[in-house]
Amino acid sequence: MSDALLSPKHLEIQKKARDFAREYIMPVAKELDATGEYPWDIWKRIVDMGWGCMIAPVEYGGPGLDAVSVGLVTEEFAYACLGVMTAIGSNNLSSYPVLLGGQKELQEKYFKDLLAGKIAAFALTEPGAGCDAAACTTTAEKVGDEYILNGTKCFCTGGGVADYLIIFAVTDPDDRKNKLSCFLVEADRPGVTVGSVEDKLGVRASNTTEIILKDVKIPAMNLLGNEGDGFKMAMKTLDKARPNVAAQAIGGAQRALDEAIEYVKNRIDANGRPLAKNQIVQFKLADMGMKLEGARQLVRHCQVLKDLEIPYTMTAAMAKALSTDVCVEVACDAVEIMGYYGYSKDSIVEKVMRDAKIQQIYEGTNEVQRIVISGQMLRS
Ligand SMILES: Cc1cc2nc3c(=O)[nH]c(=O)nc-3n(C[C@H](O)[C@H](O)[C@H](O)COP(=O)(O)OP(=O)(O)OC[C@H]3O[C@@H](n4cnc5c(N)ncnc54)[C@H](O)[C@@H]3O)c2cc1C
């Protein structure tokens, strides 16, 4: 679906997000990248707009944005800064398990808090459990009407600023298939501490930390879904989140392409002509544009399938892998076309190139996406 096919409602949301991103995110993106500070000012403004949690249901006072709208906002914010979008995206990612398995009372409080500016973080990864999520060793033991959690999570986006943590922990080590369960943990509970803060190559405006859980007691009602549902909940969550990561990659790639186009119009080559008159440069731009537009169509198609509740697991995996691969390729090509300036910290494309890489790794690596895609193709 190209912009020309967007409904008036979607075009309005796109414009609102674009205006906001150009005014408040773009001007500070480089500074946030340099300092690695969390984008608190931007976050407060987003909360004021009512987008503190884009997927919070209307019945809980949220905007209840559909997948196409979330994608459009994500594209625009990511165009301005992939780091800021990664930071604020944690509220969407973390909310899927709450929607999937939270009791009504818990959902009400959680979404009210997020819409008022609280932050949630999704903690699945552990030092010994990345792609193999089932290898988690964090434990949750049921004692009376409480669970007691122990373990260490790592590379948790928003871990150091979060008010709520979505924790995946082992409840039955003997049940290989159903050993994990999913919990909502308030970050101010005794025994929750933030460990090392990661110093990263890119998406530096997002905070990434270890989370250490030592004898953390939570009420049984904080269990999301049933005991043993954890692995399925994690996979369903990542399914739902993939169209958003994919949209983010489209935003980043579009930024790199726009910067490259602007540059070649003004940069003069050895023949005294703008670089844009050089056919090799023209063909490179055309290739970048073709890849980006193809990926965008797949991503938007996937969002529509999601909104129509048509199964989209394979399409989401394709959209995530393709768009994030394209984002890395287009960002690298932009740096190349822009020569020393592209490689310099004075340009924005060097930042897009650094930021782009993580999208191929988090929320399921692109190798894992290829396992999902080929698995579905070879089924039956
Ligand atoms: C900036 C950042 C933010 C993050 N945010 C979060 C977050 O909010 N929450 C969270 O839970 N995690 C988060 N992560 C962790 C991220 O999801 C993991 O890094 C990712 O799942 C991969 O796990 P791993 O790094 O342990 O890689 P590994 O599992 O060790 O894999 C290493 C490489 O081997 C490949 N590989 C592994 N298994 C296979 C296989 N069976 N077949 C083919 N190839 C394979 C992988 O694709 C990868 O290329 C974040 C990471 C970063 C860097």
Side-chain angles (χ1 to χ4, degrees):
M1 188 197 351
S2 74
D3 279 3
L5 299 178
L6 291 174
S7 68
K9 179 190 94 175
H10 286 137
L11 284 169
E12 197 183 311
I13 284 176
Q14 184 188 49
K15 181 174 178 337
K16 186 172 162 188
R18 184 170 295 169
D19 290 347
F20 179 90
R22 307 285 159 114
E23 185 168 357
Y24 297 112
I25 305 178
M26 213 180 262
V28 294
K30 281 196 81 75
E31 191 188 326
L32 291 170
D33 174 63
T35 61
E37 275 171 26
Y38 194 79
W40 286 114
D41 288 347
I42 294 168
W43 173 239
K44 282 180 194 135
R45 288 181 190 280
I46 289 171
V47 171
D48 288 346
M49 284 164 88
W51 285 352
C53 179
M54 294 180 218
I55 62 165
V58 176
E59 61 171 309
Y60 297 136
L65 296 187
D66 62 7
V68 172
S69 301
V70 173
L72 291 169
V73 175
T74 302
E75 267 185 52
E76 294 303 326
F77 286 9
Y79 183 95
C81 180
L82 282 163
V84 168
M85 189 55 230
T86 294
I88 66 167
S90 79
N91 269 13
N92 290 341
L93 174 65
S94 308
S95 295
Y96 292 119
V98 180
L99 281 173
L100 284 168
Q103 292 181 27
K104 197 166 168 44
E105 195 186 321
L106 198 76
Q107 289 185 346
E108 255 172 22
K109 173 154 176 31
Y110 169 88
F111 284 114
K112 187 170 150 257
D113 283 349
L114 259 55
L115 291 163
K118 297 221 166 174
I119 293 172
F122 179 87
L124 175 62
T125 304
E126 294 183 8
C131 290
D132 183 10
C136 284
T137 58
T138 294
T139 56
E141 191 192 347
K142 183 132 192 234
V143 180
D145 55 2
E146 289 181 325
Y147 283 93
I148 303 177
L149 276 68
N150 280 288
T152 299
K153 297 288 176 180
C154 64
F155 279 88
C156 176
T157 298
V161 292
D163 303 284
Y164 286 109
L165 301 162
I166 304 295
I167 301 284
F168 293 84
V170 178
T171 41
D172 185 354
D174 299 326
D175 186 342
R176 238 181 71 80
K177 269 191 163 173
N178 306 305
K179 69 177 205 173
L180 288 183
S181 301
C182 180
F183 299 92
L184 180 72
V185 177
E186 294 85 354
D188 59 0
R189 287 204 178 262
V192 178
T193 49
V194 176
S196 58
V197 180
E198 302 303 333
D199 187 9
K200 308 184 295 293
L201 172 73
V203 292
R204 291 173 54 78
S206 68
N207 163 275
T208 316
T209 73
E210 235 178 12
I211 297 287
I212 299 159
L213 305 153
K214 192 157 179 1
D215 295 328
V216 179
K217 290 184 182 156
I218 56 166
M221 78 166 287
N222 283 29
L223 170 70
L224 302 175
N226 297 313
E227 262 194 31
D229 282 352
F231 186 77
K232 272 178 262 162
M233 299 257 295
M235 295 307 115
K236 275 190 190 166
T237 295
L238 293 172
D239 242 21
K240 289 179 180 294
R242 271 170 198 146
N244 306 346
V245 185
Q248 192 180 291
I250 297 300
Q254 186 68 59
R255 180 70 184 277
L257 178 58
D258 288 354
E259 294 286 330
I261 290 170
E262 224 19 65
Y263 185 81
V264 299
K265 284 186 195 161
N266 299 307
R267 175 75 176 166
I268 305 300
D269 72 8
N271 301 315
R273 299 181 313 166
L275 269 183
K277 298 276 181 197
N278 184 320
Q279 197 178 57
I280 290 179
V281 171
Q282 292 169 357
F283 281 16
K284 188 145 212 146
L285 290 174
D287 283 341
M288 291 157 77
M290 282 192 280
K291 286 180 201 163
L292 171 54
E293 199 48 34
R296 191 195 317 270
Q297 298 310 317
L298 182 59
V299 173
R300 296 225 178 132
H301 172 65
C302 180
Q303 293 157 358
V304 172
L305 292 183
K306 187 176 171 187
D307 282 333
L308 295 174
E309 296 179 18
I310 294 169
Y312 61 93
T313 295
M314 184 169 78
T315 314
M318 287 177 166
K320 194 269 182 185
L322 179 67
S323 63
T324 57
D325 285 352
V326 163
C327 187
V328 169
E329 280 176 44
V330 169
C332 289
D333 285 345
V335 168
E336 191 174 300
I337 287 179
M338 293 167 71
Y340 68 69
Y341 179 67
Y343 197 71
S344 143
K345 288 262 181 191
D346 289 341
S347 80
I348 195 75
V349 290
E350 67 81 29
K351 174 181 173 311
V352 179
M353 188 176 92
R354 285 185 289 109
D355 288 347
K357 186 66 198 171
I358 183 55
Q359 302 174 112
Q360 294 175 308
I361 300 170
Y362 61 22
E363 298 192 27
T365 67
N366 283 4
E367 288 73 31
V368 168
Q369 306 311 313
R370 286 172 170 89
I371 292 172
V372 172
I373 296 161
S374 55
Q376 294 246 338
M377 285 172 165
L378 295 169
R379 220 166 47 176
S380 84

